[in-house]
């Protein structure tokens, strides 16, 4: 299995950027287990069981327990490469989800889980459960038969069926199951532990349902996100999660707020702990890994051991600066907290311009809404995700109309974008600005070509606009109508 599934034609992340599928490769001659193999043609690697035993012992000497994770039923591209018979029958749109309609997959996972549980002394087994996209199951006759035979409602209950079967295997070995939030879909057995990653609400709900929970919210604890102004940071999987935000997470406050007047302090026993996640799709070098880890992991540690209400960011920051210095002297590569830029300075002050407070109409196909954040004068901060300052666009045939209230002389029209290929942003090659005096008859005034960043793997803010010389009341931004669905974010329209 490892000989076939652990190597591919390049770093996985290159495939995210290029959109080309990963081509698996056989183990190259001379590969030394425990190392990363990368000769420019083949990339990959694995650990032997003896190396894992050595790692477990090394960690145990430092009071660290390693919990293994075997992903079920999604994130199984390597498994499906080696066992293509575990794919759903019929058309499969998704290439990493196994078919729970097939009986054979269960003894297979039982064997794998048993082997892994025998290796790791921890009482826990993490079985993943996250991001299993269900479109293959919806059309697979075997999955549909399983749904009918087991009297399940839908594919979500099929996921739950799958997790319950796996949980029996885990429990039969005397271990406790851990899984990501998605194991809550379609019902969950009482003694499973939820590792909550999709924001904070799912984990809080699970605690209220008396499940043990480890909080690992992507909104606070995903250390593969950038930690400072994106223009100066190495490649990151999402924008801006600075030290102060990581430090600010207060899980107990969320739980107390969600319980309201029903709050009973004994519920806190279900908050089992906190976890930072540093996924390595975009990280292949250890210096990059250390950079993302330090100092943000210090903040997670201090959060985990600090009683509620006892934290103090300025004090913590001083300690973090001292600790960074110390570990740098030991040879670690860390983020340079002392020269942190912090949040986007341009987002602090409003930009006076003619569009301020104008009436907006955002149309996507038949859907009509407003987009007032695009005319409030404020540019977006580095954070784009879940930030109401940015307007997401997703689809085709998108237009934005701005009504200035009366005819005015216009000399400049521009709009700000983010280009971020890692997030699979797909920007229009060009857009068009049109203007109108009556809101009915629009004439094109400017068709700028979008300047994409040279290295499209990086987060990059772009301005899309230029000079015009026209008198008008209405300004329309219209994306080109290419065959592809567009995806990205706008922050602000500036008209002068
Ligand atoms: C996750 O980030 N899919 C757990
Ligand atoms: Zn199936």
């Amino acid at each position: 299995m490892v000989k076939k599934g652990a190597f591919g034609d390049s770093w996985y992340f290159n495939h995210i950027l290029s959109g080309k599928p990963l081509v698996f490769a056989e183990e190259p001659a001379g590969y030394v287990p425990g190392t990363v193999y990368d000769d420019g043609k083949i990339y990959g690697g694995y650990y032997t069981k003896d190396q894992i035993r050595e790692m477990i012992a090394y960690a145990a000497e430092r009071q660290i327990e390693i919990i293994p994770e075997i992903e079920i039923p999604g994130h199984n591209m390597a498994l499906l490469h080696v066992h293509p018979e575990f794919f759903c029958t019929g058309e499969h749109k998704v290439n990493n989800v196994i078919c729970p309609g097939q009986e054979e997959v269960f003894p297979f996972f039982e064997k794998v889980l048993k082997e892994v549980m025998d290796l790791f002394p921890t009482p826990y087994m993490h079985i993943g459960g996250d991001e299993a996209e269900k479109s293959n199951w919806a059309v697979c006759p075997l999955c549909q038969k399983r749904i009918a035979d087991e009297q399940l409602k839908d594919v979500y209950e099929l996921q739950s069926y799958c997790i319950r079967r796996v949980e029996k295997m885990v429990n039969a070995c005397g271990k406790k199951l851990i899984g990501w939030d998605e194991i809550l879909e379609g019902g969950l057995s009482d003694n499973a532990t939820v590792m909550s990653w999709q924001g904070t609400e799912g984990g809080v709900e699970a605690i209220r349902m008396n499940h043990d929970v480890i909080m690992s919210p992507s909104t606070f604890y995903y250390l593969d996100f950038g930690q400072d102004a994106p223009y100066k940071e190495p490649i990151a999987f999402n924008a801006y999660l600075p030290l102060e935000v990581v430090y600010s997470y207060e899980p107990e406050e969320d739980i107390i707020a969600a319980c309201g007047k029903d709050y009973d302090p004994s519920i806190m026993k279900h908050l089992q702990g906190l976890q930072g996640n540093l996924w390595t799709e975009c990280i292949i070098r250890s210096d990059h890994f250390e950079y993302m880890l330090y100092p943000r992991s210090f903040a997670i540690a201090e959060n985990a051991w600090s009683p509620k209400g006892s934290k103090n960011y300025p004090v913590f920051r001083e300690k973090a600066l001292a600790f960074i210095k110390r570990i740098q002297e030991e040879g670690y590569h860390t983020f340079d907290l002392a020269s942190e830029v912090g949040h986007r300075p341009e987002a602090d002050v409003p930009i006076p311009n003619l569009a301020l407070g104008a009436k907006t109409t955002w149309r996507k196909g038949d859907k009509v809404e407003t987009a007032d954040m695009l005319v409030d004068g404020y540019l977006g901060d580095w954070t784009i995700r879940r930030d109401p300052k940015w307007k997401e666009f997703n689809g085709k045939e998108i237009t934005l109309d701005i009504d200035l209230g009366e005819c005015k002389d216009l000399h400049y029209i521009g709009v700000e974008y983010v280009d971020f290929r890692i997030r699979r942003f797909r920007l229009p090659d060009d857009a068009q600005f049109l203007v109108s005096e009556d809101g009915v008859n629009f004439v094109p005034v400017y068709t700028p070509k979008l300047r994409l960043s040279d290295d499209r793997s990086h987060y990059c803010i772009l301005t899309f606009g230029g000079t015009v010389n026209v008198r008008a009341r209405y300004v329309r931004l219209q994306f080109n109508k290419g065959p592809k669905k567009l995806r990205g974010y706008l922050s602000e329209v500036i008209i002068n």
Side-chain angles (χ1 to χ4, degrees):
M1 169 82 183
V2 284
K3 288 188 185 292
K4 286 189 167 183
F7 298 91
D9 61 343
S10 100
W11 183 26
Y12 176 61
F13 182 63
N14 284 337
H15 300 278
I16 299 183
L17 289 179
S18 68
K20 292 196 192 118
L22 185 147
V23 178
F24 281 94
E26 295 274 329
E27 179 174 326
Y31 170 67
V32 180
T35 61
V36 175
Y37 190 91
D38 187 6
D39 66 0
K41 295 193 199 91
I42 297 181
Y43 173 79
Y46 61 82
Y47 294 111
T48 64
K49 282 189 182 172
D50 276 342
Q51 287 170 331
I52 300 263
R53 286 187 193 101
E54 203 182 315
M55 220 180 299
I56 292 166
Y58 181 89
E61 277 169 24
R62 290 155 182 81
Q63 285 73 50
I64 295 168
E65 180 180 292
I66 302 180
I67 299 175
E69 177 181 355
I70 294 288
E71 276 278 0
I72 304 169
H75 285 294
N76 269 318
M77 202 159 82
L79 167 62
L80 286 162
H81 167 68
V82 182
H83 287 285
E85 70 278 14
F86 292 159
F87 262 123
C88 280
T89 51
E91 186 199 3
H92 34 78
K93 293 194 185 140
V94 192
N95 68 358
N96 66 355
V97 180
I98 57 92
C99 174
Q102 287 180 43
E103 198 46 37
E104 296 73 19
V105 303
F106 291 99
F108 173 82
F109 277 123
E110 188 162 26
K111 190 160 166 274
V112 172
L113 285 171
K114 185 146 186 349
E115 208 172 317
V116 172
M117 287 188 282
D118 283 349
L119 190 54
F120 288 84
T122 169
Y124 291 103
M125 179 71 220
H126 197 317
I127 58 81
D130 58 315
E131 297 183 307
E133 214 273 329
K134 300 182 176 55
S135 51
N136 293 358
W137 300 355
V139 294
C140 167
L142 293 175
C143 285
Q144 290 304 313
K145 181 168 181 328
R146 176 79 77 194
I147 287 175
D149 290 351
E150 300 292 333
Q151 296 173 2
L152 307 172
K153 247 195 353 249
D154 53 21
V155 285
Y156 293 95
E157 287 201 354
L158 183 57
Q159 153 113 358
S160 179
Y161 165 85
C162 185
I163 301 296
R164 281 175 200 271
R165 275 192 73 165
V166 170
E167 185 175 23
K168 286 205 184 89
M169 300 169 193
V170 171
N171 294 160
C173 290
K175 306 241 182 187
K176 247 187 98 162
L177 177 140
I178 301 180
W180 299 108
D181 306 55
E182 290 95 329
I183 65 169
L184 291 162
E185 288 169 6
L188 173 64
S189 66
D190 291 344
N191 49 8
T193 299
V194 177
M195 195 173 265
S196 178
W197 72 281
Q198 295 171 318
T200 55
E201 296 83 3
V204 170
E205 265 322 291
I207 286 175
R208 296 188 66 200
M209 288 152 61
N210 293 320
H211 288 295
D212 283 354
V213 170
I214 298 159
M215 292 303 293
S216 185
S218 57
T219 37
F220 291 95
Y221 281 3
Y222 266 40
L223 304 184
D224 52 344
F225 293 9
Q227 60 196 311
D228 202 6
Y231 60 77
K232 64 178 269 290
E233 289 303 284
I235 293 180
F237 204 64
N238 218 324
Y240 206 45
L241 190 53
L243 183 66
E244 188 165 7
V245 173
V246 176
Y247 189 76
S248 71
Y249 180 45
E250 287 281 5
E252 287 148 309
E253 279 179 10
D254 288 348
I255 297 164
I256 292 167
C259 291
K261 61 178 174 32
D262 299 330
Y263 173 63
D264 169 357
S266 72
I267 202 171
M268 287 302 178
K269 66 176 182 289
H270 293 302
L271 178 60
Q272 288 285 299
L274 306 177
Q275 173 176 297
N277 289 338
L278 180 40
W279 307 111
T280 54
E281 285 102 327
C282 0
I283 298 170
I284 50 169
R285 292 189 332 264
S286 56
D287 57 345
H288 187 180
F289 186 86
E290 290 166 9
Y291 183 95
M292 305 303 264
L293 198 57
Y294 305 117
R296 290 183 295 184
S297 54
F298 304 158
I300 299 175
E302 181 151 317
N303 279 359
W305 67 55
S306 299
K308 185 172 85 61
S310 67
K311 292 189 298 177
N312 178 321
Y313 184 67
V315 171
F316 167 76
R317 192 171 186 278
E318 286 306 310
K319 287 191 287 185
L321 284 165
F323 211 66
I324 282 172
K325 202 155 166 278
R326 183 172 137 195
I327 68 169
Q328 278 178 348
E329 280 160 15
E330 288 176 20
Y332 287 93
H333 301 85
T334 76
F335 169 66
D336 182 10
L337 181 61
S339 58
E340 183 180 29
V341 170
H343 85 114
R344 190 180 180 200
E346 297 85 7
D348 279 347
V349 269
I351 301 174
N353 77 95
L354 298 177
L356 269 187
K359 183 166 177 280
T360 56
T361 311
W362 176 272
R363 284 194 188 83
K364 186 176 112 180
D366 296 338
K367 211 168 150 226
V368 181
E369 59 192 41
T370 57
D372 292 346
M373 76 288 269
L374 297 179
V375 293
D376 67 356
Y378 285 93
L379 300 177
D381 204 336
W382 307 130
T383 317
I384 39 178
R385 193 165 169 255
R386 302 181 198 208
D387 183 344
K389 301 285 300 154
W390 289 93
K391 172 73 183 163
E392 185 175 10
F393 57 91
N394 197 341
K396 288 199 229 177
E397 317 241 330
I398 296 165
T399 59
L400 168 68
D401 280 354
I402 296 173
D403 177 359
L404 302 175
E406 57 183 331
C407 272
K408 294 182 179 172
D409 290 328
L410 313 182
H411 304 290
Y412 171 86
I413 308 177
V415 63
E416 197 173 59
Y417 280 80
V418 169
D419 182 19
F420 202 8
R421 182 73 171 273
I422 288 176
R423 302 309 315 167
R424 296 195 170 93
F425 282 13
R426 196 190 290 271
L427 301 186
D429 293 332
D430 54 45
Q432 198 160 45
F433 285 108
L434 304 99
V435 297
S436 165
E437 289 193 2
D438 58 8
V440 179
N441 301 302
F442 281 84
V443 289
V445 284
Y446 188 64
T447 305
K449 202 90 189 126
L450 189 58
R451 288 177 298 109
L452 297 177
S453 44
D454 292 337
D455 173 359
R456 296 207 50 212
S457 53
H458 277 274
Y459 174 111
C460 183
I461 292 178
L462 302 160
T463 300
F464 194 27
T467 47
V468 293
N469 215 344
V470 69
R471 191 167 170 80
R473 169 172 169 179
Y474 300 90
V475 174
R476 174 171 289 173
L477 168 64
Q478 183 173 292
F479 295 120
N480 67 346
K481 296 197 185 84
K484 293 174 188 154
K485 253 178 94 168
L486 304 171
R487 186 173 126 66
Y489 287 80
L490 303 177
S491 100
E492 191 68 17
V493 177
I494 304 292
I495 301 175
N496 272 315

